[in-house]
Amino acid sequence: NAALGGRLARFATLVDQRLPELLPPSSERPARVHEAMRYAVGSPGKRLRPVLTLSVAEIFGCREPAVTDLACAIEMVHACSLVLDDLPSMDDARLRRGRPTTHMVYGEATAVLAAFALFNRAYAIAGDGFKCANGADSNSFFGDTACTTAFSGFAAPATSVNNRFTACTAIQVLGAAGFYLNADSNTA
């Protein structure tokens, strides 16, 4: 019905407005990685995952800004998966939703860094939302600088070698992701 369609469109607009606010500015170092992050989440789409998240939250009476942020975090994880899936080592896609893929615009190395930075940012947002929902201080170790801190040291060397992705870069990215995610090797 029209009322439901209007509500879903409103949720998608809310997500489209909030997503850029949750990402580091393109003017901050590493600027090219932040630019690529914004490019990856800014591609046109239905925003199905965050719209479903907001719809379910509404059913349960949740209308907190943290729910909107969580919905945006879910979209960031989705965008991360699309960037990685489009890489030459995977599907080697040239276009995504009618636009050049992130790696075609920014190069493979920057695309990988942007994807993992989106993943880290989503993890930080989810963690901060959980802490706020449980009455904890909203300041967090993960905060706004998590993706910048994790990748600022890797962005310059990774993108300075003719935008070629190297094994060394892969190890650095995976090492940073593992450190910030505090992955437990005993869980499968």
Side-chain angles (χ1 to χ4, degrees):
N1 76 33
L4 177 62
R7 182 181 292 113
L8 298 179
R10 186 173 40 85
F11 286 157
T13 301
L14 181 65
V15 169
D16 283 336
Q17 291 170 347
R18 184 68 177 139
L19 266 170
E21 296 170 1
L22 293 170
L23 295 173
S26 296
S27 59
E28 247 179 52
R29 290 191 67 204
R32 190 148 169 87
V33 173
H34 293 161
E35 220 178 277
M37 290 169 69
R38 290 176 170 278
Y39 183 83
V41 298
S43 63
K46 299 177 291 291
R47 305 290 190 220
L48 180 64
R49 289 151 192 83
V51 165
L52 286 173
T53 302
L54 291 168
S55 298
V56 170
E58 186 178 70
I59 289 169
F60 287 100
C62 300
R63 295 181 186 195
E64 306 270 332
V67 175
T68 302
D69 289 358
L70 177 62
C72 289
I74 290 168
E75 185 66 11
M76 288 179 201
V77 171
H78 177 60
C80 166
S81 73
L82 296 178
V83 170
L84 295 175
D85 187 56
D86 290 340
L87 290 171
S89 60
M90 299 296 284
D91 288 349
D92 196 16
R94 305 284 184 207
L95 294 174
R96 166 75 60 186
R97 298 175 181 154
R99 293 184 346 161
T101 56
T102 305
H103 77 274
M104 293 300 296
V105 175
Y106 294 96
E108 274 183 78
T110 300
V112 169
L113 291 171
F116 281 106
L118 282 169
F119 189 76
N120 276 358
R121 185 69 187 118
Y123 184 79
I125 291 166
D128 286 347
F130 177 77
K131 288 173 83 174
C132 290
N134 287 297
D137 183 357
S138 64
N139 293 326
S140 165
F141 166 77
F142 296 106
D144 289 335
T145 59
C147 62
T148 302
T149 304
F151 298 103
S152 61
F154 308 130
T159 58
S160 64
V161 186
N162 300 326
N163 278 333
R164 302 291 307 226
F165 184 74
T166 65
C168 183
T169 304
I171 292 167
Q172 290 173 333
V173 169
L174 294 175
F179 174 78
Y180 280 96
L181 296 177
N182 194 16
D184 181 358
S185 61
N186 293 327
T187 59

